[in-house]
Amino acid sequence: QVPLKPGRSLMDWIRLTKSGKDLTGLKGRLIEVTEDELSKHNKKEDCWICIRGFVYNVTPYMEYHPGGEDELMKAAGADGTDLFDQVHRWVNYESMLKECLVGRMAVKPIAAPKGELIHVLIILCIAISGVQGLPLNGQPAVQSATSSIIILFSFFVKYIFFSLLYFLFYSYDWFQTDSLITIVIYTKQKDMNAELVIVDCQDKQLRGEIIIDDHSYLVEVGRYCNFAVESSFYLNIAEKVGKVEIVLNKKGNIHWKMLGQPREGHNTFIKRTDRGLFYRQCKLASKTEVTHDTKLFCLMLPKGTHLCVPTGQHVYLKQIIAGTEVVKPYTPVLPFLPLDFQEPPRHDGVHIYLMIKIYSHGLFTQALDHLQIGDYISVSNPEGNFKKSQVQTSEDLLLLAGGTGFTPMVKLLNCALTEVSCVRTVKLIFFNKTEDDILWRNQLEQLALKDERFEVQFILSQPSKDWVGKQGNISSSLLSEFVKRSRRDSKVLICICGPTPFTEQGVQ
């Protein structure tokens, strides 16, 4: 994010969109936009961007964009869908930019098939009509047909191969008794575990998603044949063979003729980025003060939900504020730092804990802070590319955190000290402005005393005159004191999280 001018906050943008001002320059008309027309609007004072086939005039949004004008200009006069998906596909741009909608992109005429495919089609036509001996591309038709049929055969082989691969590795079945419905998902994935399975069973709908790296397999049905089930369910995972069982309790001994009505994404195996985010309503169970401006929110998952957020991944919170959908990402933490790492802590699978800094002028965090115990907020499925295996093979783990960039470090600390047998040292270099800003200071200091593998160093940029510790901003000279291997050839993993300038400087 970049600093915005006064009067350019998200709330200011929402007010502008509701003011009735013409933000498109077209006086309410929607037009069809060609590629040539789109490309002409590529300047800061005249900037159109296409996202998923819809064109927006983002010129009035320039000064309100949290990422700055330069980020928007990367897609000026062009299709910015891929860039948008890479950076923040979770943002509801339709809601944020609805008053900036210029129109749709013009549909391109479909080009005639070329090359091998048209060659095959012609040969098939010749074969069907019984015509023989006619020249084709300078060759006798029979010779040309032979080569084209080989090409066609290779197409079919590839299609059948990938279809079989999908069928063999990702499929489902269901069974029933008088009192139970059992949905079985076959993934053939070794080391299947609870973190890779997300289940939502509510409102007579079942959604079971299996995460396989950057893809996912989905079973999603609705209406349950109009028969009811209990909100709670059992989840059985055969880790070695990758079989997942979702066991539902029937309400009444009624024989089901079918599992339910398939929904749009049912029985599909696609990229997670193509599937979109799924949200469920979570209840605020508690809100605890951590520092003068940071609170620990405890959210309770619905009874019919199984969701474990993997280490290094985040969720999105969604709120409707002043009629506009606002979404923000947050990394779940533990309810406290365990001081005994003899065995992994047993997470209850019922709560999600989020440590959130409340900004005095922050539209979203102020709305969160005004939530009352028992209020609901939408929480997404986990997202993120971090792999726990990166920690599990490390001997020296160095964590550089700036402010609330500490939140992803909590589970990393827990993972390294609990599950990684080869880890020798875990160092947390924690940057803050003042002593009052340090999150969980006492817990971190106790952990350093309790576990000799762990070391924490607090560094302040605006210390009081009584501060005797390190001070300054992140720099190579400062880090050189701490970035050291436990031995010459040890494997080191360095993780950085904090404000963008902090992260960029740290990477350098």
Side-chain angles (χ1 to χ4, degrees):
Q1 295 190 344
V2 299
L4 298 175
K5 297 177 183 177
R8 295 296 183 270
S9 68
L10 177 57
M11 193 67 234
D12 293 317
W13 171 251
I14 292 174
R15 290 194 191 99
L16 178 60
T17 62
K18 298 183 183 304
S19 67
K21 186 176 180 180
D22 178 18
L23 301 182
T24 65
L26 298 175
K27 298 180 180 179
R29 291 182 300 116
L30 292 178
I31 63 173
E32 190 175 62
V33 184
T34 63
E35 284 189 0
D36 286 343
E37 180 64 26
L38 177 63
S39 65
K40 295 175 184 176
H41 302 270
N42 62 352
K43 303 176 183 65
K44 284 186 179 181
E45 60 275 10
D46 179 20
C47 182
W48 290 7
I49 290 176
C50 173
I51 303 177
R52 295 194 178 92
F54 290 92
V55 180
Y56 298 89
N57 180 1
V58 298
T59 313
Y61 184 58
M62 281 285 176
E63 293 186 348
Y64 296 85
H65 185 233
E69 297 178 356
D70 292 342
E71 286 298 306
L72 280 180
M73 288 304 297
K74 290 179 181 178
D79 191 325
T81 305
D82 289 343
L83 185 62
F84 175 84
D85 285 342
Q86 290 170 23
V87 180
H88 41 35
R89 71 184 186 89
W90 41 271
V91 172
N92 187 339
Y93 64 91
E94 296 104 322
S95 176
M96 293 287 291
L97 299 175
K98 61 185 176 183
E99 300 302 327
C100 300
L101 180 63
V102 170
R104 280 183 176 271
M105 285 296 294
V107 179
K108 291 182 181 178
I110 299 174
K114 296 180 180 179
E116 294 176 345
L117 183 58
I118 191 66
H119 198 176
V120 170
L121 291 173
I122 292 173
I123 293 304
L124 287 176
C125 290
I126 292 173
I128 291 169
S129 62
V131 177
Q132 297 181 3
L134 295 177
L136 182 65
N137 290 346
Q139 298 179 3
V142 174
Q143 293 177 6
S144 184
T146 302
S147 62
S148 297
I149 289 171
I150 291 172
I151 293 168
L152 182 62
F153 179 73
S154 69
F155 289 160
F156 280 119
V157 168
K158 289 178 183 177
Y159 175 79
I160 292 169
F161 172 76
F162 285 110
S163 297
L164 283 173
L165 191 68
Y166 168 79
F167 175 76
L168 289 172
F169 283 83
Y170 310 100
S171 60
Y172 83 101
D173 205 346
W174 69 283
F175 311 94
Q176 65 179 312
T177 65
D178 287 344
S179 59
L180 300 175
I181 293 289
T182 302
I183 298 100
V184 185
I185 301 174
Y186 305 97
T187 70
K188 303 295 192 297
Q189 294 287 324
K190 293 181 180 179
D191 301 321
M192 178 60 58
N193 62 72
E195 286 189 348
L196 303 177
V197 181
I198 305 171
V199 180
D200 286 276
C201 175
Q202 49 198 301
D203 301 325
K204 292 189 177 182
Q205 295 182 17
L206 172 75
R207 188 182 192 278
E209 186 172 0
I210 311 296
I211 308 301
I212 313 292
D213 293 326
D214 59 349
H215 285 67
S216 76
Y217 175 72
L218 182 65
V219 170
E220 188 177 24
V221 293
R223 292 212 294 266
Y224 288 145
C225 301
N226 295 319
F227 300 139
V229 296
E230 303 286 349
S231 58
S232 59
F233 59 87
Y234 302 99
L235 186 65
N236 300 320
I237 301 174
E239 296 185 3
K240 299 300 181 185
V241 296
K243 185 173 74 171
V244 178
E245 292 182 347
I246 305 169
V247 185
L248 309 173
N249 292 291
K250 289 181 178 178
K251 282 186 178 178
N253 299 332
I254 302 172
H255 182 79
W256 292 20
K257 293 182 180 179
M258 58 185 294
L259 180 60
Q261 294 294 330
R263 298 181 70 84
E264 184 179 355
H266 177 63
N267 197 24
T268 57
F269 177 73
I270 62 174
K271 276 188 144 185
R272 294 169 69 185
T273 51
D274 294 336
R275 195 175 293 288
L277 290 172
F278 179 82
Y279 289 86
R280 77 276 300 145
Q281 290 288 100
C282 294
K283 184 190 293 186
L284 179 61
S286 67
K287 188 167 45 173
T288 310
E289 192 170 283
V290 179
T291 68
H292 62 101
D293 63 358
T294 302
K295 296 183 180 179
L296 184 68
F297 290 76
C298 175
L299 303 177
M300 183 180 292
L301 292 166
K303 281 186 178 180
T305 293
H306 166 85
L307 185 153
C308 301
V309 182
T311 299
Q313 296 198 12
H314 54 271
V315 295
Y316 297 102
L317 301 187
K318 180 169 67 174
Q319 282 271 68
I320 304 297
I321 302 175
T324 298
E325 184 179 284
V326 184
V327 181
K328 294 288 182 182
Y330 293 99
T331 306
V333 299
L334 302 175
F336 53 86
L337 269 182
L339 299 180
D340 186 357
F341 290 101
Q342 297 303 311
E343 61 179 54
R346 291 182 175 86
H347 305 306
D348 59 13
V350 176
H351 300 98
I352 291 178
Y353 293 88
L354 301 170
M355 194 181 291
I356 299 175
K357 183 174 182 177
I358 309 299
Y359 293 92
S360 57
H361 299 292
L363 178 66
F364 195 82
T365 58
Q366 285 293 322
L368 286 181
D369 197 31
H370 283 90
L371 288 177
Q372 301 298 310
I373 304 302
D375 287 349
Y376 287 85
I377 187 169
S378 299
V379 180
S380 79
N381 282 357
E383 288 266 300
N385 300 317
F386 188 86
K387 301 290 190 298
K388 191 189 287 187
S389 58
Q390 295 172 268
V391 181
Q392 292 168 332
T393 56
S394 300
E395 295 171 279
D396 296 322
L397 177 63
L398 180 66
L399 308 174
L400 305 180
T404 48
F406 167 67
T407 54
M409 307 309 180
V410 175
K411 284 191 175 183
L412 282 173
L413 269 174
N414 180 63
C415 172
L417 296 176
T418 303
E419 304 176 32
V420 184
S421 57
C422 61
V423 71
R424 292 170 174 271
T425 64
V426 180
K427 295 181 181 179
L428 171 64
I429 317 301
F430 197 179
F431 292 80
N432 286 280
K433 289 182 179 179
T434 69
E435 282 187 79
D436 291 338
D437 295 320
I438 301 174
L439 303 169
W440 279 358
R441 179 179 180 178
N442 289 336
Q443 292 191 46
L444 290 167
E445 289 175 336
Q446 288 180 46
L447 179 58
L449 292 173
K450 185 84 173 178
D451 196 312
E452 61 182 12
R453 296 170 297 171
F454 177 63
E455 176 188 337
V456 61
Q457 184 71 53
F458 302 114
I459 301 175
L460 303 182
S461 61
Q462 299 175 15
S464 67
K465 58 184 179 181
D466 298 325
W467 176 252
V468 295
K470 294 285 183 182
Q471 55 183 287
N473 294 306
I474 190 168
S475 64
S476 56
S477 59
L478 198 76
L479 292 180
S480 62
E481 298 181 43
F482 309 107
V483 184
K484 296 174 183 177
R485 300 175 187 270
S486 59
R487 62 183 186 186
R488 179 180 292 182
D489 59 347
S490 66
K491 186 172 181 181
V492 179
L493 175 66
I494 303 178
C495 300
I496 304 177
C497 188
T500 302
F502 172 88
T503 304
E504 290 175 349
Q505 186 67 25
V507 170
Q508 289 174 15

